[in-house]
Amino acid sequence: MARADSFADGNSITPPPRQFGQARRVAHFEIKYLQYLNHLGEVAEELPEFAQERGQLLALYRAMVLTRTFDKKAIALQRTGKLGTYASSLGQEAAAVGVGAAMAKQDVLLPAYREYGAQFLRGVSMTEILLYWGGDERGMNYGAQAEDFPICVPIATHAPHAVGVAYAMKLRGQARVAVCALGDGATSKGDFYEAVNIAGAWQLPLVFIVNNNQWAISVSRAAQTRAETLAQKAIAAGIPGEQVDGNDVIAVRERVAQALDTARHGGGPRLIEALTYRMGDHTTADDASRYRPGDEVEQQRQYDPIARLHKYLARCGEWSQQQDDALYAECEAKVDAAVKDYLATPAVAPESMFDYLYEKLPVALRTQRESLSSQGESGNG
Amino acid sequence: MAELTLVEAVNLALARALEIDPDVVVFGEDIGINGGVFRATLGLQARYGKERVMDTPLSETLIAGMAIGMAAQGLKPVAEIQFMGFIYPTLDQILSHAARLRNRTRGRLHCPMVLRAPYGGGIHAPEHHSESTEALFAHIPGLRVVIPSSPLRAYGLLLAAIFDPDPVIFLEPKRIYRMVKEAVADDGQALPLDVCFRLRDGSDVTLVTWGAMTHETLQAADRLAQEGISAEVIDVATIKPIDSATILESVAKTGRCVIVHEAARACGVGAEIAAQLAEHGLMSLYAPVQRVTGYDTIMPLFRLEQHYLPTSARIVTAAKRTLEAA
């Protein structure tokens, strides 16, 4: 069990001595930004240890390519009427894959809705994600991931959940961390501030990942806040905040791993702002050309996370075009198999809408359930 | 056996739950060393430690949301919102997440949490401290809304709520926190949820109520008895989901029904009960169903609150009206 005194009261802060006639600086901060691979695939900073291993980098690359292949297929399914509205993660693969790769199995991920790259690495299946956007609750019953939260649609509302998960871990003295992924838009919400604030006060094992893709649907990053960085919002809560190049999967993987290690060993929470870009529309129901200049999107293509790592691997002579083609073919096959499973998933019984409301169906609802059953194919009469 | 007030019974149930289950945690604003503004959590932090009984900042969204995260991890969080007037930021968390978690994950995750809040008028409190808005929660599928009306039921129902595997909004009628004392055995025995309690048997008219209004309703039943009218009194207790079978059974016997609640009338829980009677009990009614409720106005500040709150006189009048009709 964690020790009682590790839940700090936070009342040990002594005010600075009063001085008159001159202003004193009583607080100051800086936000660091880290990038290992620049957009040309060149080493900008000496690579961290894990990135010296070819296998590790290839695993990240594969995960990003799989995520993008999935994404393209999901959009195609939506366009052909085989999927509901879908939120694309195009361009943000590194920010998700880096998180998923850094996390330990026993950690808990609380994702928003562009973290497929992390979810896949944590055992969530592509079929499940398709089922979810295909309008089926079974897509949130992750077969190989018991404790991760399902996708959270209402913005930032899962940040307080992450606090509760982290609190439970700390109370039980577990070496586990909760990871909450949010977008830039989420950092304008009270839920986010309330969660970041208490994570600091209670020094919880909690890492916030802010996937800053520059757009909250149609509202640009600049229009959302006057703050120079989103990372500094953590500073106000007394927890470290930093930026990484969110399109550099090495930087994301490394900094998230560092934050997890700190949190896991009682060092408290951290917030990492991953700078990335939403290459696609907000969702398939959105048309970003209504509000976003096309040349901005074109300009962003050069920072693509997958092309960047590909350039590096190719430059190192460790990745041939044939290997790349084979990988893409392999990912296509995997995605096709998932789509096949999705499309072949047996229909769900209408009565299931009653069967998971409570552990045991209250008597008051039995008649309604029977009434639905008796409707047969005709629907709600 | 100790004679306890309702708020003392709440405290006793919380202590019992903390004692028997290490997964129970209690938190909210000023609930630690201060024991809560109504003292419902008095002494709990000293006995069970700051890890399991903790003060939160003024963050109602966080209080409800972190309870969900804890519950998903297998804890049994019991969170306090200081007054119901401050509960509204939690609606998003309760509606969008707590009530839905089991359903949306097909049972992979669930949410055994309790959100407690004192509610209701009649204590000369400041603005925002007197409303009865239980119907907001009673409308939400996947939730339970439980309201005790006596020390015994506070103890037994709170224990039931804490150990229920699904989320419960537990609303405590603060006007009667210290109104009566009752012998409460600290036996750890929960009372059943989802059922009404028949507080008084009668044959002429059924009075249906919950929370603090139970007292006015029982007074009304006494006054009716003096006039030779036999009133049955039902405390609904769990207003979501409603045990309409017990109410229908009573009305089948009496043929008359008066529904009493403090909350505003339109779309109140009384409307649901009246609708159930119309759908399933119309043929047993000798007279139209009467509702004695708060008005569809803003709850006035305390100079006028006694004019807003239903009185036993209003209940008696309504009951007599049902008897005059047939």
Side-chain angles (χ1 to χ4, degrees):
Chain A
M1 293 290 285
R3 283 155 49 82
D5 61 7
S6 65
F7 287 77
D9 284 334
N11 57 6
S12 58
I13 300 161
T14 46
R18 291 180 71 183
Q19 295 207 355
F20 297 95
Q22 67 178 92
R24 294 174 66 247
R25 187 173 69 175
V26 293
H28 62 98
F29 68 91
E30 62 175 13
I31 299 296
K32 290 189 169 150
Y33 168 86
L34 189 71
Q35 176 194 62
Y36 287 106
L37 280 188
N38 69 17
H39 67 287
L40 302 171
E42 298 162 348
V43 175
E45 192 79 36
E46 191 189 341
L47 294 187
E49 204 177 312
F50 86 87
Q52 315 282 346
E53 288 178 43
R54 177 176 181 268
Q56 295 250 24
L57 287 187
L58 278 176
L60 296 174
Y61 184 69
R62 286 170 183 280
M64 290 197 292
V65 170
L66 180 68
T67 304
R68 183 165 295 183
T69 308
F70 170 83
D71 202 81
K72 282 183 177 164
K73 181 65 78 176
I75 290 170
L77 286 170
Q78 191 279 330
R79 299 293 186 226
T80 52
K82 295 185 176 110
L83 194 71
T85 297
Y86 171 77
S88 162
S89 72
L90 185 68
Q92 297 179 228
E93 295 87 351
V97 164
V99 171
M103 289 177 71
K105 188 172 168 34
Q106 74 269 21
D107 296 335
V108 171
L109 176 67
L110 297 100
Y113 46 74
R114 298 189 209 280
E115 280 76 37
Y116 313 122
Q119 291 188 289
F120 295 156
L121 286 173
R122 295 187 54 71
V124 177
S125 76
M126 291 186 282
T127 304
E128 285 162 349
I129 298 296
L130 290 172
L131 275 171
Y132 175 65
W133 293 113
D136 191 326
E137 283 85 356
R138 290 175 295 181
M140 290 180 277
N141 184 10
Y142 305 145
Q145 180 43 259
E147 295 184 64
D148 279 8
F149 270 56
I151 284 170
C152 183
V153 168
I155 302 302
T157 54
H158 59 315
H161 308 165
V163 169
V165 170
Y167 195 93
M169 292 166 170
K170 181 164 178 164
L171 180 70
R172 290 167 166 165
Q174 299 167 337
R176 305 169 69 200
V177 184
V179 176
C180 182
L182 326 88
D184 47 298
T187 66
S188 296
K189 278 199 70 178
D191 310 50
F192 166 78
Y193 285 103
E194 292 187 19
V196 171
N197 179 60
I198 200 64
W202 288 346
Q203 288 294 285
L204 296 176
L206 173 49
V207 176
F208 295 96
I209 312 290
V210 175
N211 286 317
N212 175 2
N213 70 13
Q214 313 300 329
W215 289 91
I217 303 190
S218 66
V219 179
S220 71
R221 160 64 182 84
Q224 291 173 42
T225 172
R226 183 75 173 169
E228 284 175 279
T229 69
L230 303 180
Q232 74 203 51
K233 296 191 177 194
I235 306 296
I239 74 177
E242 63 183 60
Q243 281 187 336
V244 294
D245 182 338
N247 287 357
D248 172 8
V249 72
I250 298 174
V252 177
R253 159 84 170 72
E254 174 64 12
R255 293 313 298 166
V256 174
Q258 287 281 338
L260 286 166
D261 189 58
T262 303
R264 200 181 306 288
H265 297 103
R270 193 182 305 182
L271 184 148
I272 297 171
E273 177 188 2
L275 293 167
T276 180
Y277 191 80
R278 194 191 83 206
M279 292 300 292
D281 296 325
H282 163 63
T283 65
T284 50
D286 175 46
D287 173 10
S289 71
R290 289 171 56 83
Y291 52 80
R292 192 164 71 168
D295 54 354
E296 180 183 301
V297 182
E298 283 311 309
Q299 170 75 10
Q300 286 289 332
R301 287 196 197 287
Q302 60 183 313
Y303 303 111
D304 187 272
I306 295 180
R308 177 183 316 202
L309 188 55
H310 180 256
K311 281 177 199 162
Y312 175 74
L313 290 168
R315 185 176 297 114
C316 296
E318 295 182 2
W319 193 244
S320 67
Q321 192 56 46
Q322 290 92 320
Q323 283 171 307
D324 208 46
D325 293 343
L327 171 62
Y328 273 88
E330 181 193 319
C331 289
E332 289 279 351
K334 278 185 189 166
V335 172
D336 285 346
V339 170
K340 202 175 154 196
D341 283 351
Y342 160 64
L343 294 174
T345 303
V348 67
E351 296 87 343
S352 70
M353 72 175 79
F354 287 95
D355 295 342
Y356 303 92
L357 264 184
Y358 302 89
E359 185 182 60
K360 191 162 169 277
L361 189 70
V363 176
L365 281 167
R366 280 187 204 158
T367 317
Q368 289 186 27
R369 190 182 188 281
E370 283 158 17
S371 155
L372 172 63
S373 289
S374 68
Q375 297 297 323
E377 293 297 303
S378 63
N380 192 358
Chain B
M1 204 184 302
E3 294 268 323
L4 301 181
T5 62
L6 196 155
V7 70
E8 288 166 345
V10 166
N11 182 271
L12 193 68
L14 291 171
R16 170 60 56 171
L18 283 158
E19 185 70 36
I20 62 180
D21 189 340
D23 285 333
V24 172
V25 289
V26 172
F27 54 93
E29 294 160 6
D30 307 299
I31 66 101
I33 190 166
N34 194 37
V37 295
F38 287 100
R39 309 290 174 258
T41 55
L42 194 68
L44 298 179
Q45 189 178 65
R47 279 151 73 191
Y48 299 101
K50 286 183 176 178
E51 290 183 359
R52 294 180 61 209
V53 181
M54 59 279 192
D55 283 316
T56 67
L58 282 151
S59 305
E60 283 85 7
T61 299
L62 172 81
I63 290 169
M66 71 185 263
I68 294 164
M70 289 171 165
Q73 280 291 305
L75 293 181
K76 297 185 181 74
V78 187
E80 176 177 306
I81 297 296
Q82 202 159 71
F83 286 88
M84 194 170 196
F86 312 134
I87 210 169
Y88 311 114
T90 74
L91 260 174
D92 186 18
Q93 288 292 337
I94 296 301
L95 197 157
S96 302
H97 294 294
R100 297 171 65 101
L101 191 62
R102 179 189 291 279
N103 182 65
R104 64 196 295 261
T105 62
R106 303 281 95 169
R108 181 172 66 86
L109 300 174
H110 66 287
C111 195
M113 65 174 278
V114 177
L115 195 67
R116 297 176 41 244
Y119 88 110
I123 64 161
H124 285 236
E127 195 178 9
H128 303 293
H129 288 67
S130 298
E131 281 76 3
S132 297
T133 48
E134 66 271 22
L136 292 176
F137 290 97
H139 190 63
I140 301 174
L143 212 56
R144 281 197 165 76
V145 183
V146 177
I147 302 177
S149 65
S150 75
L152 267 173
R153 284 186 291 281
Y155 180 83
L157 291 173
L158 182 52
L159 280 175
I162 294 169
F163 294 107
D164 187 83
D166 291 301
V168 178
I169 307 296
F170 194 82
L171 301 174
E172 298 166 8
K174 61 181 180 287
R175 182 163 59 89
I176 60 169
Y177 257 161
R178 296 183 171 82
M179 187 182 270
V180 292
K181 285 196 170 192
E182 203 171 24
V184 180
D186 187 16
D187 54 7
Q189 286 298 306
L191 283 170
L193 301 175
D194 300 1
V195 295
C196 299
F197 295 88
R198 197 186 313 255
L199 302 186
R200 180 180 175 127
D201 288 329
S203 54
D204 296 328
V205 57
T206 301
L207 311 179
V208 178
T209 189
W210 55 89
M213 275 300 137
T214 304
H215 287 260
E216 278 65 26
T217 306
L218 286 168
Q219 279 171 12
D222 282 342
R223 288 175 56 177
L224 288 164
Q226 286 163 16
E227 300 181 41
I229 300 164
S230 166
E232 180 145 306
V233 176
I234 290 177
D235 172 10
V236 179
T238 301
I239 60 163
K240 172 75 174 187
I242 291 184
D243 167 21
S244 47
T246 297
I247 298 168
L248 285 163
E249 190 187 304
S250 173
V251 175
K253 178 175 66 177
T254 62
R256 300 171 186 89
C257 186
V258 178
I259 303 160
V260 183
H261 62 67
E262 229 180 274
R265 179 169 306 191
C267 302
V269 175
E272 171 62 21
I273 295 170
Q276 296 266 356
L277 287 167
E279 284 174 338
H280 307 295
L282 192 63
M283 297 311 164
S284 50
L285 284 172
Y286 300 134
V289 171
Q290 298 290 312
R291 282 184 288 168
V292 179
T293 68
Y295 300 108
D296 287 331
T297 64
I298 306 294
M299 172 92 194
L301 296 188
F302 60 80
R303 288 192 185 189
L304 290 183
E305 71 179 336
Q306 292 308 331
H307 294 272
Y308 177 92
L309 297 171
T311 57
S312 58
R314 279 172 64 191
I315 300 165
V316 166
T317 303
K320 286 183 178 171
R321 207 176 297 134
T322 66
L323 284 145
E324 286 158 8

